[in-house]
Amino acid sequence: NIYQRKEEGKQHFFKLVELDEDTIDPALWGKNFPRQYDGYKKTTELYQPKVGGSEVIDRLEADPNLKKLFAGYAFSIDFRKARGHAYMLEDQENTERVKQKKQPGACLHCHASVMPTYRQQGDGDEMKGFLKVCGMDWQEAHTLVNHPISCIDCHEPKTAGLRVSRPAFKKSIVQLAEAKEAVPFLPSIEKWRQGDRSKPYDVNALATRQEMRTFVCAQCHVEYYFAPKTKELIYPWAKGLNVDRIEEYYDEIKFTDWTHSESGANLLKAQHPEFEMWSQGIHARSGVSCADCHMPYQREGAVKISDHHVRSPLRNLSRACQTCHRSDEVEIQERVRIIQDRTKSLLKKGETAVVDLIASIQRTKKRNGAEERIKKAQEFQRKAQFRIDYIISENSLGFHAPQESARILGDAIDYARQGQMILRKEDEEEAED
Amino acid sequence: NIYQRKEEGKQHFFKLVELDEDTIDPALWGKNFPRQYDGYKKTTELYQPKVGGSEVIDRLEADPNLKKLFAGYAFSIDFRKARGHAYMLEDQENTERVKQKKQPGACLHCHASVMPTYRQQGDGDEMKGFLKVCGMDWQEAHTLVNHPISCIDCHEPKTAGLRVSRPAFKKSIVQLAEAKEAVPFLPSIEKWRQGDRSKPYDVNALATRQEMRTFVCAQCHVEYYFAPKTKELIYPWAKGLNVDRIEEYYDEIKFTDWTHSESGANLLKAQHPEFEMWSQGIHARSGVSCADCHMPYQREGAVKISDHHVRSPLRNLSRACQTCHRSDEVEIQERVRIIQDRTKSLLKKGETAVVDLIASIQRTKKRNGAEERIKKAQEFQRKAQFRIDYIISENSLGFHAPQESARILGDAIDYARQGQMILRKEDEEEAED
Amino acid sequence: MVPAETTKQEGKRRLRWGMYLPTALCFSLAGVVLGLGSYTFWYAEGGSYFSTDPRACMNCHIMREHFDTWQKASHHAHAKCIDCHLPHDFVGKYLAKAENGYFHSKGFTLQDFPEPIRIKPKNARILHLNCVSCHRELVGDLLHHGAFKDESDSCVRCHISVGHGSPR
Ligand SMILES: [Ca+2]
Ligand SMILES: [Ca+2]
C-alpha cells in the first residue's frame, strides 16, 4: 500500500510493564494503559433504579409471568438483570441457580478470566483444558479461577490488538462459516466461503478489524447450550444465526434444556442472544459493531480512546449515537423508547399466550385419552416458549433488530394460540381421541 | 457535449402560458414546465410483471385468501395492484366495484382533478360543492369530471408552489391537529398545539415546505370512510394516526363498512394508509417526506428538478435512496426485500388465522345457543381483520414502518386466535351457553 | 497540527517510490491523454484543476453542491478540497490527479457517471488517510493498536459530516 506510511501514528503510551498470556491482573495492564483501565474499573458502577432496597433488579419480581414460564427450571428460582462486567464472577457465585442447582464448570467460560486455567488444565493445550473444565462440577472448576473478565480476554498481550480467546467461540464460528445461511454482515466469512475452504475459517487470522469489534463481545453475548454428556459449551450456529435456524438445529439434535414442571413439555432455554439478534438488524448490515455503541470513542486529553466502561449506550448517548445520528439526545432516547415499547407490548401478549397454553395443558392432562393432542400442544409450547424467551433474554428489548424481534414475537403468539386450540374443540366437532 | 454542459450552468424558465385555478390540462402547464410535464407523462408506464397476459395485477388471484376475507364486500369482486397516476380515473371507471355496486360521488375526490367541479357545483364554495358531489351517485358525479390528477392538484397556479387542494384532507388535518396523540413528525402541528388555538390549524398557511412534500400525497394516500348518510369523505384522524387510535375512533362512532357474508361480523375496510403508516416510521421522524423517495431530485443539465414520474422507488434506487444511504444498489434492494419478506411471512399467518376464525364462526352458527360467544368472536374478527387489511392495503408491504407493521400483524394474529378460542371449549369445561 | 514525522521507514518508502516514479509519470500522462485529450481537459479548466483553490473544483457545476456544502461544514476553516481528496505525498498526488482527471473529464464530457456522485473506494481510502494525517496526534494510539488497519473501518464512518454536512 503506497500510503501506508500515514498509518503509523504517534505513540503516547509507554510500555512500563511486560505483559504476557498469563497476565490476568488488569492493574498491571493499567500501568501501560491507564486510561483504558480507568474506564474498565467503572464497570463497578451500579446504575439501575434500585428495586426494593437491593442493588439488583430481580426480573422474576418485575414480571410475574416468568416464574410460570420457567417452572421447573433454575431460572424460576433466580433471574436478574445484568450488571457491569466487574460483577460477572460474583453474580454467578451468588445466584441461587448455582447455589441450589448443580451446574457444570462450563459456566465459567464467560464469567471469569479463564484462559490460563484452560492451558494449565490441558497441559498447555487450551482446547483440551476447556473440555476438561466444562465437564467438571461448577464448585470444583470455580476453585481454579479468581478474576472476572480482564484485558487479556479481548487483547493480545504483545500489541494490545484485539483477538478472541474463547474456545467455544472459536469452534462455533467455524460451524457458522460452514453453514448455508448468508451472513452479509460478516464479510470475512462470506469471503472465506468464496474461497477453496481447504482450511477451516480462522477467526483471529481472517476477521476484519471491524468484525473483531463485535466478535470480542460475541465470545459471551450469545445463545448457548451444553452438550448433554460432556457439558461442552457450544453455540448453536451450524445452520445460521436466525432464530428459526437455531431452533431447527436444536430440533435436529433433539436437544432439550428442561421439562416444564406443569405442562411436561420439553423446552429450550434461550440466553442473551445479543450477537445473533444484532446480526439480523440494520446496524449489523451497515457495519456498526458492538464496540461502536457500547465502547464509543472518547477524548481524554490529547488522545482518543475507546471507553472501556462497557454499559448501556443510553447512559452515553452523545458519544454512542450522535456521531452517526444528528438528532438531539431527547429524540434519540425517544426512538429507542418507541422500539422498546412496541417490543414490550408484543412480548406481554406472547407471555400471556404461553401462560394460557400452560394452563390449558395442565387442565387437559387431568383426563385420559388426550395424550396425542397434549403432545402436539407441548410441541407448540416449545416453539412459542423459545421465541418469547429469545426476546426476554435478549437484553436490548428489541433494539438490536426491531422488526425481527416483532416478527419472532408474532410467531410466538401464533404458536402458543395454536397449541391452545388443539386442546379445545368446537362445539360441533366430535372428540377425536 | 461539453459546450452544452457549460451552457446549462444557467437555468432557463419562460412563462409562456398564463395558468389559473381552472387550468386542469397538464399540457398547458407543460409549456411553462416541460421537464416536470415529461416526468408526469411517464406515469403511463406499466412496469409490473405481467400476470396472465393482462397488464393489471389481480390481487384476488395472487392471494386466494382475499376473497374469503372480503366476502360480501365489493373488494371480493375486484381488487388490483395500483398503477401509475395516469390511470387513476380509468381504473376507477373500469373496476367491477363500480360497475357492479353502487358507489358515491365521493370516490372521485382522489381519482380526478376535481376542484373546478367542486367550485362549480358549490356556486364558488368548494366545501359546499365537495359535500354535494360526495352525496351524488358515482355515475352522475362522473359526468362532471374528465381528467386524472393534474398539476393543479398539488400546485398553486401563480407560483407553482406546493399547496393542498383537497377538502377532505383540509378538514381532517384540522381534526388531527386537535387530537391528543403526539405527532413529532409533523412539527407545524406540534407548534400550532403549543399556541393559543384560537384559529383552527390551517395547513396551507402553516405547514413547512418539507411537510408539504408529504401532505400533497396525503390528500389521497390515506385511510378513509364515507359518513353513513351524507357520504361525506372523511379521514379518521380525530384521535391520532396510529392504527389503534383509528380503530378506537371507528368503534366510538360505531362505524361499519360491511357485514361479512359468511361470519356475519360487522367489519371495517382499510384503504391505502400510506400516510398513516409512514407517520409511524423512522423516516417520518427523520423528516423524510414522500417526495424525497417517490419524486427524488434529478439533475437535468445544471438544474435539479423533482422527478415527476411518481413510482416505486425500487425502480429508481440510486436517486431515491443513495443521497442518504451510502450502500450500493444491490444492498439497498436487499434491505427492502428483507423488510418486505418479514412482513409477508407474518401477513400470511395473520390471514390464515382470520380465515380459520371465519370458518369457526360459520360452523358454530349452525347450532343454537352460542349467540353470545359468536358475538364476541365477531368482535375479535373485526379487530383482526382491520389490522391485516391495514397491512394488505398499505402498499409498501411494511417498508414505511417495518416494526410497527409487524406489531400490527402480531396483534392481528392474537385477536384472530382468541376469537377462535372463544368458540372452542376445553374438554373439561362445561358448556357455558 | 503534528508535523509529518520522518522515520527511517518512511525514508525507505520514499526511496522505493523513487523507483516507481517513471511508471507513475507514465500513468499520469496516459490519464490525461485517455481523458479525451488535453483539449477537453484544458477547456474544462483542467489547468485550475491542479490548483489548491476550491474554486478550481467549482469550475464544474457538478461540483457546485459539494462546494456549497463544504462551505457550511465544520472543516471549511481547516481544510480545502484537495487537503481531503488528494494524497498529501508528492507522488501519490500526481498519480491520483491523473487518474481522477481522467474520470473527471470523461464523466463531464460524456455525462455518463452515476448520480448521486459517489466517492470511489480508492478515493475513500485517500480521504481517510488525509484525516489521519491531520489528526495523527489524536488518533495515533488507536492506530498503534491495530485500529483502522484494514478498510473495514474509516474515520468517515462516524465523521462523514465534517466535509459536506450530514447526508441524512
Ligand atoms: Ca440456550
Ligand atoms: Ca376505510
Side-chain angles (χ1 to χ4, degrees), chain A residues 424 427, chain B residues 367 369 372-373 376 422 424-425 429-433:
Chain A
R424 295 177 173 220
D427 299 2
Chain B
R367 61 186 285 281
E372 264 315 297
R373 285 157 64 209
K376 279 197 204 138
I422 281 184
R424 293 176 174 221
K425 290 183 198 145
E429 280 178 325
E430 293 299 315
E432 281 158 27
D433 39 38

Side-chain angles (χ1 to χ4, degrees), chain A residues 222-226 236 250 255 257 268-271 386:
Chain A
V222 296
E223 158 60 3
Y224 70 85
Y225 75 106
F226 300 138
Y250 282 132
F255 185 78
D257 277 291
L268 297 169
K269 178 76 191 78
Q271 286 101 337
F386 186 54

Side-chain angles (χ1 to χ4, degrees), chain A residues 280 285 331 335 338-339 342 360 363 367 403-404 414 417 421 424-428, chain B residues 280 285 331 335 338-339 342 360 363 367 403-404 414 417 421 424-428:
Chain A
Q280 306 299 302
R285 280 199 89 97
E331 171 61 15
R335 290 181 187 186
I338 291 173
I339 290 169
R342 289 199 189 109
S360 290
R363 282 193 302 266
R367 61 187 283 283
Q403 193 201 15
E404 173 68 358
D414 201 24
R417 296 296 185 198
M421 218 97 67
R424 295 177 173 220
K425 290 181 197 147
E426 283 180 19
D427 299 2
E428 292 301 292
Chain B
Q280 307 298 303
R285 278 199 91 95
E331 171 61 16
R335 290 182 186 186
I338 291 173
I339 290 170
R342 289 200 190 110
S360 290
R363 283 193 302 267
R367 61 186 285 281
Q403 194 200 15
E404 173 69 357
D414 201 23
R417 296 294 185 199
M421 217 96 67
R424 293 176 174 221
K425 290 183 198 145
E426 283 180 20
D427 298 3
E428 292 300 292

Side-chain angles (χ1 to χ4, degrees), chain A residues 263-265 360-367 369-380 419 422-423 433:
Chain A
S263 75
S360 290
I361 298 180
Q362 236 179 336
R363 282 193 302 266
T364 314
K365 273 179 134 180
K366 291 193 193 119
R367 61 187 283 283
E371 287 75 16
E372 266 313 299
R373 286 156 65 211
I374 287 179
K375 212 178 136 223
K376 280 197 204 138
Q378 287 167 337
E379 279 161 20
F380 276 118
I422 281 184
L423 302 178
D433 39 37

